[in-house]
Amino acid sequence: MSAIATVTAQALIHFLWQGALVGLAAWGVLSFLEKARPSTRYAVATAALLLLAALPFATLFQMAGGTPPPVQVPVSIAPVPLAAALTPSPVGGAVAPQIFGASLLPWIFNLWLAGVAALSLVQLGGLGRVRRLSRQGRPAGEETQALARELGRRLGIDRAVTFLESAAVAVPAVVGWLRPVVLVPASTLVGLAPRQLEAILAHELAHVRRHDYLVNLVQAVVETLLFYHPAVWWVSARMRHERELCCDDLAVAVCGDRLGYARALVELEGLRCAAPRLAMAASGGSLAGRVRRLVAAPERSSRRPWAAGLLALALLPAGAAVQVACSGATARQSHPGAAFQPVRTWTAERQGDRLRLTLDSRTSFWRRWASVDDYPLSQLSGLTRGTDVRFELRRSAGTIRLQGKYDGRRGEGTFTFAADPALAEEIGASPSDLRLLELAVYDVPASYVHEMRELGYGRPSPSHGPSSLKDYVRWHFQALAGTLERSSSVQQLEELHTRGVTPEFARAIQGSGFRDVSSSDLMTLRDHGIDPAYVQGLSATGYALRFPFRVVEFHDHGITPEWLRGVVEAGYKNATPDELISMHAHGLDAESLRKAGSQGHLSPEELISLQARGRLGR
């Protein structure tokens, strides 16, 4: 094995603990800046990613100056103290052979090289797809071009931006940096109101102004080279999340209508599809979270215990993770009182006839949950004034018992939670599980949980193993922590209940012929005011609607079951949903098709052309 490969493998090993420290520091700073502007958090995440990218090269250059030849070590290696394992050797960092053995260094280097090669092929494939997208499509209409130029002027963009109407994308997207191209699907131009289209285009132009495409390319390179470290993926994902929020703020500043922009994002939810990762689209990130932020609704704290995973990963280079876990388990068995005791506190402020109650629960050293909501005073049983008050918030999922002081305006103290035993058994959790507290706070009835779980919602993923490196690391450390059944399944039930999705609604949609109806599909259908009768009416026409989001498109474009039945009977059963939307938008119906006598012989494009020239039916 060459000296360069040996030093590279050692640098990769050292990056395990170096990256873990940077990831922990970034997590702490971003948690502290939770209420700061997105641009501030984006700058912190960007700095963290640049530092992560620089560390392996700094270590490599430091070691390259005095790397000793490979050290032959015995097969049986004595245990290495943790502090010594994480401390580089004074001579070129020869700690790696002490920990792993010199014979493993070639394997580490070769595995890393194979991973980089595989991911490079994936990234190059995505880049090629993005370049093909920029060559497809036709120039957008003059009205759209004029609107885009005006938005670009207001955003301070001093370079030419090409706007193309493309059938290859389902939502607007930006590709390219030196010569940026904004791709706009025809369905967006037809389906969005002028003000909504203006807001979405402003978001895309904000990406152009901020040079986000170039930054995204740099992120892809860093992710490829340092693919094995979860801190890199987490920091990069946080950058993408904050970047979308920054563009949202710019779009709102240009358009001046926060609520209208939020509605435009909701309209795009039904048009989402898998886009190339290197393209910048307004539908990127969590649309639900972005909409909640725009309408100033309180967001829930993150439930991803990344800090625990990064800390455990920092112990891997020393070969001490298993030893620490075992010794920790032994200590807990010998000294049960030494385990972390959950701390649950509350603060309150009266708002008229309601009480704004903040519940805060820290269930481990790295996991914290908080909720802020207004409750009618009538729901707080036993609430009085005093220095030692005790009152309750009773829910179907359990009872929250609070104690502390309350002067009639403000209060604070601690609380406990007693869950419904039947509900705890239903979701396979202990009565003190944080997920049950969430169900109680958001007032999700136990009967609702039972019925929705019978329909397949609110259950852990059926996957028996991870499908990517990122998923593997998260799955591995959740298994160590005993939290493999993630709270995301319960959060799904909370969102379904909050958005008004009832078991009856879900059952009716599932019975409409769709192969798979996800929870997001149900929420989108509900948000657009679509009832089961409309869905069942479309299904009865004989036209095959494979995806629920197509129902949303039909509904928003005014397509009725009666209109669809007439078009299908006229010979257009195999027309694509986009073609049907275009036909409806141009005023074609069963009567005009009957007069034309096409019986499916004319394509939708030909029919639209004849209709536009006034020659249909002659």
Side-chain angles (χ1 to χ4, degrees):
M1 183 177 182
S2 68
I4 294 298
T6 301
V7 175
T8 301
Q10 293 176 359
L12 295 174
I13 294 169
H14 279 299
F15 183 68
L16 287 172
W17 64 268
Q18 292 170 344
L21 293 179
V22 174
L24 286 170
W27 175 77
V29 174
L30 290 173
S31 297
F32 179 77
L33 297 175
E34 185 177 3
K35 296 185 179 180
R37 298 178 61 181
S39 57
T40 303
R41 297 194 297 270
Y42 180 79
V44 171
T46 303
L49 188 70
L50 291 176
L51 181 58
L52 287 169
L55 278 173
F57 293 98
T59 305
L60 182 65
F61 290 142
Q62 181 183 6
M63 290 181 173
T67 303
V71 180
Q72 297 297 329
V73 296
V75 175
S76 177
I77 303 176
V80 180
L82 178 60
L86 297 182
T87 305
S89 152
V91 186
V95 65
Q98 294 173 1
I99 298 175
F100 292 95
S103 61
L104 289 182
L105 290 178
W107 286 98
I108 293 171
F109 178 79
N110 291 333
L111 286 174
W112 171 78
L113 205 59
V116 170
L119 282 180
S120 296
L121 291 176
V122 174
Q123 298 287 10
L124 289 174
L127 188 61
R129 183 182 173 192
V130 168
R131 293 191 64 180
R132 286 194 298 273
L133 285 177
S134 63
R135 297 170 183 169
Q136 297 174 355
R138 58 186 179 183
E142 184 56 36
E143 183 177 351
T144 303
Q145 297 277 6
L147 173 62
R149 286 193 294 268
E150 173 61 19
L151 290 172
R153 184 189 64 79
R154 284 150 62 181
L155 280 167
I157 298 175
D158 56 359
R159 49 184 171 151
V161 181
T162 304
F163 282 78
L164 299 179
E165 182 180 339
S166 173
V169 294
V171 290
V174 175
V175 298
W177 172 57
L178 292 175
R179 291 178 292 181
V181 176
V182 177
L183 302 172
V184 185
S187 59
T188 298
L189 295 174
V190 175
L192 293 183
R195 293 287 294 174
Q196 292 175 338
L197 179 62
E198 178 185 359
I200 297 303
L201 292 181
H203 178 100
E204 300 306 320
L205 288 172
H207 281 303
V208 175
R209 174 187 167 181
R210 291 165 40 84
H211 306 283
D212 286 337
Y213 186 85
L214 176 62
V215 177
N216 203 40
L217 288 176
V218 175
Q219 286 181 251
V221 172
V222 176
E223 289 172 348
T224 299
L225 293 176
L226 303 175
F227 66 93
Y228 63 96
H229 206 301
V232 174
W233 292 99
W234 180 81
V235 171
S236 187
R238 189 63 186 263
M239 277 184 64
R240 291 189 173 93
H241 172 73
E242 300 299 342
R243 176 162 59 218
E244 294 301 321
L245 299 187
C246 290
C247 290
D248 286 345
D249 288 347
L250 281 174
V252 169
V254 169
C255 300
D257 185 2
R258 179 176 293 268
L259 185 58
Y261 180 68
R263 287 172 176 165
L265 289 180
V266 172
E267 292 294 325
L268 274 185
E269 177 71 17
L271 301 175
R272 293 187 71 175
C273 73
R277 187 173 178 82
L278 296 178
M280 313 301 302
S283 62
S286 170
L287 282 181
R290 289 164 60 192
V291 170
R292 282 198 298 266
R293 171 179 172 269
L294 289 168
V295 300
E299 290 187 341
R300 302 166 189 164
S301 300
S302 174
R303 298 178 175 88
R304 299 179 179 179
W306 273 103
L310 293 176
L311 182 59
L313 187 62
L315 302 178
L316 286 178
V322 176
Q323 179 181 355
V324 170
C326 294
S327 61
T330 303
R332 284 192 297 270
Q333 292 173 359
S334 303
H335 307 283
F340 185 90
Q341 297 297 325
V343 178
R344 292 175 173 174
T345 60
W346 64 271
T347 58
E349 182 177 358
R350 184 163 180 173
Q351 307 282 337
D353 60 347
R354 304 176 74 87
L355 191 70
R356 176 160 296 175
L357 190 61
T358 301
L359 301 176
D360 192 304
S361 177
R362 185 179 292 278
T363 57
S364 68
F365 287 109
W366 56 79
R367 190 170 186 223
R368 184 179 182 182
W369 173 89
S371 166
V372 182
D373 208 346
D374 295 340
Y375 299 92
L377 295 176
S378 59
Q379 292 185 8
L380 303 173
S381 176
L383 178 61
T384 58
R385 300 183 184 184
T387 58
D388 185 20
V389 299
R390 299 173 185 271
F391 58 102
E392 296 179 345
L393 177 62
R394 298 170 182 169
R395 294 287 200 241
S396 174
T399 301
I400 302 173
R401 298 187 174 93
L402 308 96
Q403 60 182 15
K405 58 182 181 180
Y406 176 67
D407 61 6
R409 296 183 58 193
R410 293 182 175 85
E412 62 180 6
T414 60
F415 73 91
T416 59
F417 175 65
D420 175 26
L423 182 58
E425 184 178 357
E426 169 75 24
I427 67 172
S430 65
S432 61
D433 197 299
L434 179 62
R435 294 172 295 173
L436 294 169
L437 175 59
E438 294 177 27
L439 293 176
V441 167
Y442 296 105
D443 199 16
V444 181
S447 59
Y448 182 88
V449 174
H450 178 72
E451 290 187 66
M452 293 301 290
R453 282 172 65 89
E454 282 190 336
L455 293 172
Y457 302 102
R459 293 183 178 276
S461 172
S463 175
H464 296 289
S467 58
S468 66
L469 177 66
K470 177 180 176 181
D471 291 340
Y472 172 78
V473 174
R474 182 168 55 188
W475 174 83
H476 176 69
F477 288 111
Q478 283 173 344
L480 289 179
T483 59
L484 193 57
E485 186 175 6
R486 300 189 298 272
S487 60
S488 59
S489 58
V490 173
Q491 183 181 356
Q492 182 184 100
L493 290 173
E494 295 168 9
E495 293 179 351
L496 287 167
H497 183 261
T498 302
R499 303 273 280 275
V501 177
T502 64
E504 293 75 21
F505 181 86
R507 195 175 291 111
I509 298 299
Q510 284 185 349
S512 298
F514 297 111
R515 293 182 179 179
D516 182 27
V517 183
S518 67
S519 60
S520 61
D521 290 332
L522 290 176
M523 290 185 283
T524 301
L525 292 170
R526 187 66 179 176
D527 290 344
H528 285 257
I530 299 173
D531 57 29
Y534 177 79
V535 180
Q536 293 165 356
L538 293 179
S539 300
T541 64
Y543 184 78
L545 279 172
R546 295 180 176 85
F547 305 105
F549 79 88
R550 290 298 190 182
V551 176
V552 175
E553 291 181 343
F554 279 19
H555 180 269
D556 292 351
H557 285 86
I559 294 179
T560 64
E562 293 73 19
W563 182 91
L564 182 60
R565 182 180 295 105
V567 172
V568 168
E569 291 174 352
Y572 290 89
K573 181 178 181 179
N574 296 322
T576 67
D578 289 334
E579 289 173 340
L580 291 175
I581 291 172
S582 296
M583 292 170 66
H584 184 270
H586 286 84
L588 294 172
D589 55 17
E591 181 63 20
S592 59
L593 296 177
R594 185 186 61 79
K595 291 180 179 178
S598 64
Q599 287 299 318
H601 300 301
L602 295 176
S603 68
E605 291 81 4
E606 292 171 332
L607 289 171
I608 292 172
S609 178
L610 292 173
Q611 175 81 342
R613 289 181 292 173
R615 299 180 60 185
L616 190 66
R618 292 186 178 181

